[in-house]
Amino acid sequence: MKDAELEQLRESYSKLRDEAVRDPAFFYDALFRHAPELRQLFREDLEGQGMKFMTTLGVILAKLGDESAVDPHFQELGKRHASLGVRISHFAPMEEALIDSLRNALEDDFTPELEALWRTAFEEISGRMIQRGGIQNS
């Protein structure tokens, strides 16, 4: 990704993070609307889990341009998700939940171009997690 694209992601993430403070479970509520069967994979504290998700996403975005700095995060996240039973097929509803969360947080500022950029970033991040963490299909 280009530096300008990374900056757009980071700026919009800042607004997403602020919204997550107000409604920390929004991402997971959106996820379970897209894939109710995934609820069983998560503990009861969805607000805490939501804040952890936002923090992790922020760390990844901060280091996304530096492969050597971010690669260990992808491996750790992938292995952790695999151990919890996350499968490759679960990433599609996760992407939609993230897009819903961004749309909610950014409202009119969530342009089609920014959505495309986030989808590209999500595919890159999830692809690295899957590859480095050994996440399996079904």
Side-chain angles (χ1 to χ4, degrees), residues 92-113:
M94 291 171 66
E95 178 179 354
E96 294 310 314
L98 177 60
I99 295 300
D100 288 353
S101 299
L102 285 157
R103 188 173 289 117
N104 178 65
L106 300 175
E107 298 175 335
D108 292 340
D109 292 335
F110 194 57
T111 64
E113 295 80 17

Side-chain angles (χ1 to χ4, degrees), residues 67-114:
E67 182 72 27
S68 64
V70 80
D71 193 56
H73 289 286
F74 290 129
Q75 185 171 9
E76 177 188 336
L77 282 170
K79 286 182 178 182
R80 188 174 338 133
H81 281 76
S83 73
L84 295 171
V86 173
R87 301 289 180 232
I88 293 171
S89 62
H90 298 158
F91 283 87
M94 291 171 66
E95 178 179 354
E96 294 310 314
L98 177 60
I99 295 300
D100 288 353
S101 299
L102 285 157
R103 188 173 289 117
N104 178 65
L106 300 175
E107 298 175 335
D108 292 340
D109 292 335
F110 194 57
T111 64
E113 295 80 17
L114 187 56

Side-chain angles (χ1 to χ4, degrees), residues 20-80:
V21 169
R22 288 187 286 282
D23 188 1
F26 187 93
F27 171 81
Y28 289 99
D29 290 341
L31 176 62
F32 303 143
R33 279 193 305 275
H34 288 284
E37 69 278 7
L38 296 183
R39 179 63 182 97
Q40 66 185 355
L41 296 177
F42 295 89
R43 61 179 194 245
E44 292 302 314
D45 180 22
L46 293 179
E47 290 186 0
Q49 186 70 27
M51 293 310 298
K52 187 174 181 177
F53 172 77
M54 285 298 138
T55 300
T56 301
L57 183 58
V59 168
I60 289 171
L61 287 174
K63 298 178 178 182
L64 196 55
D66 182 355
E67 182 72 27
S68 64
V70 80
D71 193 56
H73 289 286
F74 290 129
Q75 185 171 9
E76 177 188 336
L77 282 170
K79 286 182 178 182
R80 188 174 338 133

